[in-house]
């Protein structure tokens, strides 16, 4: 396909595709899918070889969030039967992180529900960051605490945080349909605060919320402009008890097209397959490794992932290797431009038809009942 040859050439040069080209990737047929994966895989290998970075989530505070994000099982008014608990102590969080690091994770992501941290919360997380770093040489720590106030990103950086995550989630044009208690601009502001403080910015999206192809392209182009080092691509987990519980719009094939489009638009960024991969990619997960160079190991915030050993076996069986602590994640030109803490020292087809609803696979949504906040061993 001329389209794919063009996109590969642009990806190898870090040149931005046109919007029509990005939309055309999403509009490709199932017959063309393996060609799309192979093309985007060339770009992935150019910048990241066959390495897969492992990340591990620790949910510091679960549930009872005052925000009304429709996709979230922790939202205001959620009836999802998730774990709910207040802040983990630093030693509890460090113990939870150790399980993921022992499983091969290079980065620990510390997440807490809520609109954003108070200054006391920042102190609490700072103590947790120090505890994890004191016990685990070379570990990267990313914080994800919601909207940041002035000065908080700098304090997290001083405490040893390497990165800060705050996702855009969806396009600016449809953001108000998903969340009303804060704005798209609020999210952009927090990503910019992280950048300005010298933290590696991590920001991504959630696919499967009923958005159009144009919405997906809009949010990925907005991410390209913000230039985060890492881009988590989440696939909606339709939790019972949330407003989007009936949104089963994704197929494994569509998920692969979305990941390919993200790789073409952001060729040299760390693209991470995040929440929902087991639910929506299912047996096609190994193909996704040809598009993304990063995954979460084990469980997520409020849902369970596949066994950590299964993740490691999948990576090995697909011919990839786990990225080691001492290896640099990002291409040299990005490290030189500021880095991410992941290195030493620091034919257009217009819109595709709306996807037909996928069969609801509620049996695949497993609420997390182990790890942080419980007496059971974590999955790592």
């Amino acid at each position: 396909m001329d389209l794919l040859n063009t996109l590969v050439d642009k990806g190898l040069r870090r040149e931005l595709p046109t919007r029509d080209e990005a939309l055309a990737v999403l509009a490709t047929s199932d017959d063309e899918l393996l060609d799309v994966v192979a093309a985007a895989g060339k770009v992935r290998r150019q910048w990241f070889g066959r390495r897969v970075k492992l990340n591990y989530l620790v949910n510091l505070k679960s549930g009872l969030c005052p925000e009304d994000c429709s996709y979230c099982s922790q939202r205001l008014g959620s009836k999802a039967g998730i774990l709910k608990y207040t802040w983990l102590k630093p030693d509890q969080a460090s113990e939870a992180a150790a399980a993921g690091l022992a499983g091969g994770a290079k980065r620990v992501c510390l997440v807490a529900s809520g609109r954003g941290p108070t200054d006391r919360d920042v102190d609490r997380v700072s103590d947790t960051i120090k505890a994890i770093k004191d016990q685990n040489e070379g570990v990267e720590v990313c914080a994800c605490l919601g909207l940041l106030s002035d000065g908080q990103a700098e304090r997290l950086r001083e405490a040893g945080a390497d990165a800060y995550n705050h996702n855009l989630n969806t396009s600016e044009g449809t953001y108000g349909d998903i969340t009303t208690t804060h704005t798209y601009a609020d999210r952009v502001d927090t990503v910019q605060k992280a950048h300005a403080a010298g933290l590696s910015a991590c920001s991504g999206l959630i696919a499967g919320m009923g958005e159009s192809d144009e919405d997906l392209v809009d949010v990925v182009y907005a991410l390209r402009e913000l230039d985060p080092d890492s881009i988590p691509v989440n696939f909606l987990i339709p939790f019972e008890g949330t407003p989007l519980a009936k949104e089963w719009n994704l197929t494994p094939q569509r998920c692969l097209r979305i990941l390919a489009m993200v790789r073409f638009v952001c060729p040299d960024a760390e693209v991470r397959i995040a929440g929902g991969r087991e639910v929506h990619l299912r047996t096609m997960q190994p193909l996704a490794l040809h598009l993304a160079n990063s995954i979460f190991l084990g469980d997520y915030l409020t849902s369970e992932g596949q066994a950590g050993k299964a993740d490691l076996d999948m990576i090995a069986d697909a011919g990839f290797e786990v990225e080691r602590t001492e290896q640099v994640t990002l291409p040299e030109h990005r490290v030189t431009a500021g880095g991410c803490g992941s290195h030493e020292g620091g034919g257009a087809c217009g819109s595709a038809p709306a996807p037909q609803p996928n069969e609801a696979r509620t049996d695949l949504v497993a609420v997390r009942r182990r790890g942080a906040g419980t007496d059971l061993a974590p999955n790592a």
Side-chain angles (χ1 to χ4, degrees), residues 8 16 41 75 82 182 244 251 347:
V8 170
L16 182 66
R75 73 186 297 272
I82 62 168
H182 61 266
L244 298 183
T251 64

Side-chain angles (χ1 to χ4, degrees), residues 118-153:
T118 64
D119 287 340
R120 182 182 177 187
D121 292 338
V122 172
D123 290 337
R124 193 189 326 259
V125 175
S126 295
D127 290 342
T128 298
I129 294 169
K130 291 173 184 175
I132 292 173
K133 290 218 160 189
D134 285 347
Q135 296 175 34
N136 301 279
E137 183 179 357
V139 65
E140 298 173 23
V141 177
C142 178
C144 177
L145 312 174
L147 301 172
L148 292 175
S149 301
D150 290 345
Q152 291 182 329

Side-chain angles (χ1 to χ4, degrees), residues 125-206:
V125 175
S126 295
D127 290 342
T128 298
I129 294 169
K130 291 173 184 175
I132 292 173
K133 290 218 160 189
D134 285 347
Q135 296 175 34
N136 301 279
E137 183 179 357
V139 65
E140 298 173 23
V141 177
C142 178
C144 177
L145 312 174
L147 301 172
L148 292 175
S149 301
D150 290 345
Q152 291 182 329
E154 286 79 3
R155 290 174 57 198
L156 289 167
R157 180 61 175 156
E158 290 169 4
D162 300 285
Y164 194 84
N165 166 263
H166 200 62
N167 296 329
L168 297 187
N169 290 328
T170 192
S171 69
E172 183 174 12
T174 59
Y175 196 83
D177 297 331
I178 299 298
T179 304
T180 66
T181 47
H182 61 266
T183 67
Y184 179 90
D186 290 333
R187 288 189 169 266
V188 171
D189 178 68
T190 286
V191 178
Q192 292 172 335
K193 280 184 168 69
H195 256 314
L199 291 166
S200 170
C202 173
S203 188
L205 65 142
I206 304 174

Side-chain angles (χ1 to χ4, degrees), residues 238 240 245-249 282 357-364:
E240 292 294 330
K246 306 303 180 187
E247 292 288 343
W248 288 87
N249 302 312
R282 301 193 285 276
N358 195 16
E359 179 186 357
R361 288 297 305 276
T362 55
D363 59 304
L364 295 175

